[in-house]
Amino acid sequence: MICDGRFASAAEYFAFFCGDDCFDPNEESIVNEFLEKAAGDIHAALASAGACDCNLAGWAENYLKKLNILDAAVIQGCLCANPYDAAQKRLIADELRRNFDMIMSGDIELCAGYTGANFPAFGAAEQSLTEFSTAAIIMNDMMRRSA
């Protein structure tokens, strides 16, 4: 179940912002707490799209880690591990909201084997030009409804 727990660790959080050399064990529990809280926004978006019980697509795990890290940076107040000022946090929050909206609307589909709402699709209406085509359309409709 992907709607449980955080998607990134404190080590990944520190590596995202300043590489592996700035990991601070003293701040690890604080960062993990913010990552856990920030994951709730992602869980809400996934639950809204009905994507909590699916297998993630190969790329989706890294995408969710990035969203988790950025969301934690927006709500985190500690200046030590957070390089953003208030204006930058507002921009990131707006981008996060846009991403969450795309997940909820199905524009981004995180489940393996599924396509998003913007995936190209084509369909054509069946036309009844003769009595035989009318019968075929009715038969096709009955078969589709019984499946």
Side-chain angles (χ1 to χ4, degrees), residues 8 13-14 16 29 33 35 44 50 54 58 63 76 82 106 118 128 144 146:
Y13 179 94
F14 286 110
F16 184 86
S29 63
E33 181 180 335
L35 286 166
C54 71
Y63 175 73
Q76 183 188 19
N82 191 343
N118 293 324
S128 173
R144 278 194 284 274
S146 67

Coordinates of all heavy atoms in Angstrom, one line a residue, residues 8 13-14 16 29 33 35 44 50 54 58 63 76 82 106 118 128 144 146:
A8 N 10.6 9.5 1.2 CA 12.0 9.8 1.2 C 12.5 9.7 2.6 O 11.8 9.8 3.6 CB 12.2 11.2 0.6
Y13 N 16.8 13.6 1.7 CA 16.5 15.0 1.9 C 17.7 15.9 1.8 O 17.8 16.8 1.0 CB 15.7 15.2 3.2 CG 15.3 16.7 3.5 CD1 14.0 17.1 3.1 CD2 16.1 17.5 4.1 CE1 13.6 18.4 3.4 CE2 15.7 18.8 4.4 CZ 14.5 19.3 4.1 OH 14.1 20.6 4.3
F14 N 18.7 15.5 2.6 CA 20.0 16.3 2.7 C 20.7 16.2 1.3 O 21.2 17.2 0.9 CB 20.9 15.8 3.8 CG 20.4 16.2 5.2 CD1 19.9 15.3 6.1 CD2 20.5 17.6 5.6 CE1 19.4 15.7 7.3 CE2 20.0 18.0 6.8 CZ 19.5 17.1 7.7
F16 N 19.4 15.8 -1.6 CA 18.7 16.6 -2.6 C 19.1 18.0 -2.5 O 19.3 18.7 -3.6 CB 17.2 16.5 -2.3 CG 16.3 17.1 -3.3 CD1 16.0 16.5 -4.5 CD2 15.9 18.4 -3.1 CE1 15.1 17.1 -5.4 CE2 15.0 19.1 -4.0 CZ 14.7 18.4 -5.2
S29 N 16.1 13.3 12.9 CA 14.7 13.0 13.4 C 13.8 14.1 13.1 O 12.6 13.9 12.8 CB 14.8 12.7 14.9 OG 15.2 13.9 15.6
E33 N 10.5 13.7 10.7 CA 9.1 14.1 11.1 C 8.4 14.9 10.1 O 7.3 14.7 9.8 CB 9.2 14.8 12.4 CG 7.9 15.2 13.0 CD 8.1 16.0 14.3 OE1 9.1 15.8 15.0 OE2 7.2 16.8 14.6
L35 N 9.1 15.0 6.8 CA 8.9 14.2 5.7 C 7.6 13.3 5.9 O 6.8 13.2 5.0 CB 10.0 13.2 5.4 CG 11.3 13.9 4.8 CD1 12.5 13.0 4.9 CD2 11.0 14.3 3.4
A44 N -3.2 12.0 0.3 CA -4.5 12.5 0.1 C -4.7 12.6 -1.5 O -5.8 12.2 -1.9 CB -4.7 13.9 0.7
G50 N -7.7 7.3 -6.3 CA -7.9 5.8 -6.2 C -6.6 5.0 -6.5 O -6.7 3.9 -6.9
C54 N -2.4 0.4 -5.9 CA -1.8 -0.1 -7.2 C -0.3 -0.2 -7.0 O 0.3 0.2 -6.1 CB -2.1 0.9 -8.3 SG -1.2 2.5 -8.2
G58 N 7.5 2.6 -12.9 CA 8.9 2.6 -12.6 C 9.4 4.0 -12.2 O 10.3 4.2 -11.3
Y63 N 9.5 10.3 -8.5 CA 8.6 11.5 -8.6 C 8.0 11.8 -7.2 O 8.0 12.9 -6.7 CB 7.6 11.2 -9.6 CG 6.5 12.3 -9.7 CD1 6.8 13.5 -10.3 CD2 5.2 12.0 -9.3 CE1 5.8 14.5 -10.4 CE2 4.2 13.0 -9.4 CZ 4.5 14.2 -10.0 OH 3.5 15.2 -10.1
Q76 N 8.9 22.9 6.6 CA 9.9 22.9 7.7 C 10.4 24.3 8.0 O 10.6 25.1 7.1 CB 11.1 22.0 7.2 CG 12.2 21.9 8.2 CD 13.4 21.2 7.7 OE1 13.6 21.2 6.5 NE2 14.2 20.8 8.6
N82 N 17.3 23.7 5.5 CA 16.3 24.2 4.5 C 16.8 25.5 3.8 O 16.9 26.5 4.5 CB 15.0 24.5 5.2 CG 13.9 24.7 4.2 OD1 14.1 25.0 3.0 ND2 12.6 24.7 4.7
G106 N -6.1 12.8 -12.7 CA -5.7 11.7 -13.6 C -4.8 12.2 -14.7 O -4.5 11.4 -15.6
N118 N -4.7 12.5 -20.3 CA -4.3 13.1 -21.5 C -3.7 12.2 -22.5 O -3.2 12.6 -23.6 CB -3.3 14.3 -21.2 CG -3.9 15.4 -20.5 OD1 -5.1 15.7 -20.7 ND2 -3.2 16.0 -19.6
S128 N -25.5 3.5 -38.6 CA -26.6 2.5 -39.1 C -27.0 3.0 -40.5 O -27.8 3.9 -40.7 CB -27.8 2.6 -38.1 OG -28.8 1.8 -38.7
R144 N -21.2 -5.8 -25.5 CA -20.4 -5.0 -24.6 C -21.0 -4.8 -23.2 O -20.2 -4.8 -22.2 CB -20.3 -3.6 -25.2 CG -19.2 -3.5 -26.3 CD -18.9 -2.0 -26.6 NE -19.9 -1.4 -27.4 CZ -20.0 -1.4 -28.8 NH1 -19.1 -2.1 -29.5 NH2 -20.9 -0.7 -29.4
S146 N -22.8 -7.1 -21.6 CA -22.8 -8.3 -20.9 C -21.4 -8.7 -20.4 O -21.3 -9.6 -19.6 CB -23.4 -9.4 -21.8 OG -22.5 -9.7 -22.9

